[in-house]
Amino acid sequence: MKMPTDQLTLTFAALADPTRRAILKKLTHGQKSVTDLAAPFRMSLPAISKHLKVLANAGLIERSREAQWRPCKLRAAPLKNASTWIEQYREFWEERLDRLDDYLKKLQSKEKDHDDPK
Amino acid sequence: MKMPTDQLTLTFAALADPTRRAILKKLTHGQKSVTDLAAPFRMSLPAISKHLKVLANAGLIERSREAQWRPCKLRAAPLKNASTWIEQYREFWEERLDRLDDYLKKLQSKEKDHDDPK
DNA sequence: CCTATATTTTACCAACAAGTTAATTAACTA
DNA sequence: TAGTTAATTAACTTGTTGGTAAAATATAGG
């Protein structure tokens, strides 16, 4: 038995590949067939098919059937949680806390200078 | 020779693991030693060490030295690009375009009813 | 110098990921 | 029905990931 993989992990794993990110971007311009999506890549069709399976498994695309085509459509919903998760860290990359940290470090080294001079 | 992995891929790959995400969250409360970080997990120390290497390689943590400890500090900067990338899709998960799509679909099926009745 | 503590490195393994080519399925078209 | 187009599945290879246990390294302290 394999531990089921949580949604956030599936989402980030799906995004951790340039080909898959490019596919998603292409899909922002509307529904596309597999060959449409495969076109810009120098990679076999089965390889693309696999990438699409990963995206579908992460809920990032939806597949349908239209004659012999299997059009893919973007489903961005899972990105919402991914975004929320990342946004928790905004205050950190905006360095508000880095400044606090620097301040504390400065204090600490001053204390050292005064209290514990080797 | 291996193709160098782009930053976005490194970032998303690092986030695609619940243990690593938990480590990052813990680091929002300040600098922590490896054993501190390992504490909540039933996983060997070398395993944690590996996760830290992945995070460091993605630039998400910074490591220093303090006596026999190797404290880790959160470096959220790479999350900024990840966030920007994901935010491109906000309009999609907010379904503004889904509504447009539904509208077009409805139009199309009406046309079919009128112009192409089997 | 010896020992304890903190952490990494090494060597190994099983499972998975990303790609390939060849074969197969499915649907349209003449 | 045969042929064409679209896409998937199967089988295989190669490299990576996530974990382990055991050995090695680094530092502090008696």
Side-chain angles (χ1 to χ4, degrees):
Chain A
M1 309 152 209
K2 198 189 48 178
M3 264 270 286
T5 311
D6 63 285
Q7 182 55 53
L8 215 42
T9 297
L10 282 175
T11 306
F12 283 133
L15 299 182
D17 182 291
T19 305
R20 287 195 292 263
R21 290 197 302 277
I23 288 174
L24 290 179
K25 200 154 223 167
K26 257 206 151 187
L27 288 176
T28 62
H29 301 119
Q31 204 165 279
K32 295 256 178 301
S33 76
V34 177
T35 9
D36 285 349
L37 292 171
F41 306 104
R42 42 205 232 353
M43 192 183 299
S44 70
L45 219 56
I48 298 294
S49 215
K50 277 193 185 182
H51 281 305
L52 293 176
K53 193 175 273 182
V54 173
L55 290 169
N57 201 246
L60 287 163
I61 62 171
E62 210 178 82
R63 329 200 56 182
S64 49
R65 169 132 239 167
E66 221 161 286
Q68 65 268 60
W69 295 274
R70 313 272 177 101
C72 297
K73 195 182 148 191
L74 180 62
R75 299 297 293 115
L79 295 181
K80 190 178 179 175
N81 288 327
S83 172
T84 304
W85 189 92
I86 290 187
E87 287 303 316
Q88 296 181 289
Y89 294 86
R90 175 174 292 277
E91 50 175 327
F92 293 93
W93 78 66
E94 282 179 349
E95 300 202 74
R96 283 182 233 148
L97 298 197
D98 286 53
R99 257 179 257 154
L100 174 61
D101 187 73
D102 287 350
Y103 174 68
L104 291 175
K105 225 177 232 158
K106 217 167 287 174
L107 268 192
Q108 203 183 1
S109 58
K110 263 186 196 162
E111 277 171 40
K112 230 179 194 155
D113 289 349
H114 297 147
D115 303 330
D116 188 1
K118 279 277 144 49
Chain B
M1 309 151 212
K2 199 188 48 179
M3 263 269 287
T5 310
D6 62 285
Q7 183 56 52
L8 215 42
T9 297
L10 282 176
T11 306
F12 283 133
L15 298 183
D17 182 290
T19 304
R20 287 195 292 264
R21 290 197 303 275
I23 288 174
L24 290 179
K25 199 155 225 170
K26 257 206 149 186
L27 288 175
T28 61
H29 301 120
Q31 203 164 280
K32 296 254 178 299
S33 76
V34 178
T35 10
D36 286 349
L37 292 171
F41 307 104
R42 41 204 230 356
M43 194 184 297
S44 70
L45 220 58
I48 298 293
S49 215
K50 276 193 184 179
H51 282 304
L52 293 176
K53 194 175 272 180
V54 173
L55 289 169
N57 201 247
L60 287 164
I61 62 172
E62 209 178 83
R63 328 201 56 183
S64 49
R65 170 133 240 167
E66 218 159 287
Q68 65 267 59
W69 295 275
R70 310 274 179 99
C72 297
K73 194 182 149 190
L74 180 63
R75 298 300 291 118
L79 295 182
K80 191 177 178 174
N81 288 328
S83 172
T84 303
W85 190 92
I86 290 188
E87 288 304 315
Q88 297 182 289
Y89 293 87
R90 173 174 293 277
E91 49 176 330
F92 294 92
W93 77 67
E94 283 180 348
E95 301 202 75
R96 283 183 232 150
L97 298 198
D98 287 53
R99 256 179 257 153
L100 174 61
D101 188 72
D102 287 350
Y103 174 68
L104 290 176
K105 226 176 234 159
K106 215 166 289 175
L107 268 191
Q108 203 182 2
S109 57
K110 263 186 196 160
E111 279 171 39
K112 229 177 196 160
D113 290 349
H114 298 148
D115 304 331
D116 187 8
K118 281 276 146 51

